[in-house]
């Protein structure tokens, strides 16, 4: 398992093993809040992972997502905070494999620290935890060709900076522009 310096990436294994296929990897990416579903939740949408090379030289190919590795996850599609199984914060509403990667829409529940940080624009990155089933090293890049998705998390520092999500209020265009101005003022 590749060692990653702290604050550079969120790539870890959940257990040390000499067999890479038994390791659980976590790769992170950015997201944005799409809308407030109601006062009790936010809908976020974006890429949980993209098909670009991440900060540590790994890439999950589009074909890896298409080989059936999503089926078990779909049975219990929860979203975690920081890869912590004790901190569920929402559920994935939809998964779509595209040329760019794994696109997701998720509902994040109010009443959690993550909800507040997402709403304020502090947290905007996804990370995926998965088990590698097949991979190759090509020109110093670890190309993941088959996997099993175990979880999707909201994290602070992504390994894959191209995966972002967006927030969009379930309002008309004028109300959405007003929301954007409010968000911009919070950042200043």
């Amino acid at each position: 398992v590749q060692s990653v310096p702290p604050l550079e990436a969120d790539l870890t294994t959940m257990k040390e093993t000499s067999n890479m296929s038994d390791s659980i990897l976590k790769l992170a990416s950015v997201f944005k809040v799409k809308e407030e579903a109601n006062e009790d939740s936010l809908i976020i949408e974006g890429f949980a992972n993209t098909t670009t090379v991440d900060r540590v030289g790994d890439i999950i190919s589009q074909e890896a997502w298409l080989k059936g590795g999503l089926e078990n996850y779909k049975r219990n599609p929860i979203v975690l905070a920081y890869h912590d199984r004790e901190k569920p914060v929402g559920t994935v509403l939809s998964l779509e494999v595209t040329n760019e990667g794994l696109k997701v829409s998720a509902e994040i529940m109010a009443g959690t620290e993550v909800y507040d940080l997402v709403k304020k624009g502090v947290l905007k990155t996804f990370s995926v935890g998965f088990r590698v089933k097949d991979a190759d090293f090509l020109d110093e890049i670890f190309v993941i060709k088959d996997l099993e998705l175990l979880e999707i998390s909201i994290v602070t520092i992504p390994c894959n900076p191209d995966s972002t999500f967006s927030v969009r209020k379930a309002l008309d265009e004028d109300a959405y522009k007003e929301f954007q101005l409010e968000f911009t003022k919070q950042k200043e």
Side-chain angles (χ1 to χ4, degrees):
V1 173
Q2 189 170 355
S3 168
V4 178
L7 299 179
E8 274 194 41
D10 183 12
L11 172 64
T12 58
T13 59
M14 296 179 80
K15 68 178 185 178
E16 293 298 320
T17 178
S18 60
N19 184 350
M20 188 60 145
S21 67
D22 289 335
S23 296
I24 297 171
L25 302 179
K26 300 170 185 172
L27 298 177
S29 57
V30 183
F31 62 82
K32 294 180 185 173
V33 178
K34 184 176 178 190
E35 67 182 82
E36 289 188 42
N38 57 51
E39 58 196 41
D40 296 328
S41 65
L42 292 171
I43 303 296
I44 59 176
E45 184 175 271
F47 285 92
N49 191 262
T50 66
T51 56
T52 57
V53 178
D54 64 27
R55 290 180 172 131
V56 295
D58 297 340
I59 187 170
I60 298 176
S61 67
Q62 179 186 17
E63 73 177 12
W65 299 114
L66 297 172
K67 290 186 174 181
L70 300 175
E71 295 312 308
N72 285 335
Y73 179 76
K74 288 178 183 179
R75 293 182 186 132
N76 185 31
I78 63 167
V79 176
L80 303 177
Y82 321 113
H83 295 293
D84 186 337
R85 295 176 187 193
E86 301 296 319
K87 294 183 180 178
V89 296
T91 58
V92 169
L93 303 173
S94 67
L95 295 163
E96 177 186 3
V97 178
T98 72
N99 289 334
E100 292 93 70
L102 181 62
K103 188 172 185 177
V104 301
S105 177
E107 183 174 18
I108 306 305
M109 306 315 288
T112 66
E113 172 189 323
V114 168
Y115 172 89
D116 294 334
L117 293 172
V118 167
K119 189 170 181 176
K120 291 177 182 175
V122 174
L123 291 177
K124 47 191 167 240
T125 61
F126 278 126
S127 178
V128 292
F130 58 93
R131 185 175 64 84
V132 175
K133 294 163 106 179
D134 187 22
D136 284 327
F137 276 100
L138 302 172
D139 298 322
E140 307 277 329
I141 296 173
F142 186 59
V143 180
I144 299 163
K145 302 186 314 184
D146 193 7
L147 58 77
E148 178 184 8
L149 180 64
L150 301 176
E151 51 93 7
I152 295 175
S153 288
I154 293 175
V155 298
T156 54
I157 300 170
C159 190
N160 186 326
D162 292 331
S163 300
T164 63
F165 70 69
S166 65
V167 178
R168 183 168 178 109
K169 292 197 50 115
L171 300 172
D172 61 37
E173 196 61 32
D174 289 337
Y176 180 60
K177 286 179 184 176
E178 186 177 312
F179 174 74
Q180 285 178 314
L181 286 174
E182 182 180 315
F183 178 77
T184 303
K185 288 177 188 173
Q186 288 179 4
K187 283 186 160 182
E188 295 173 351

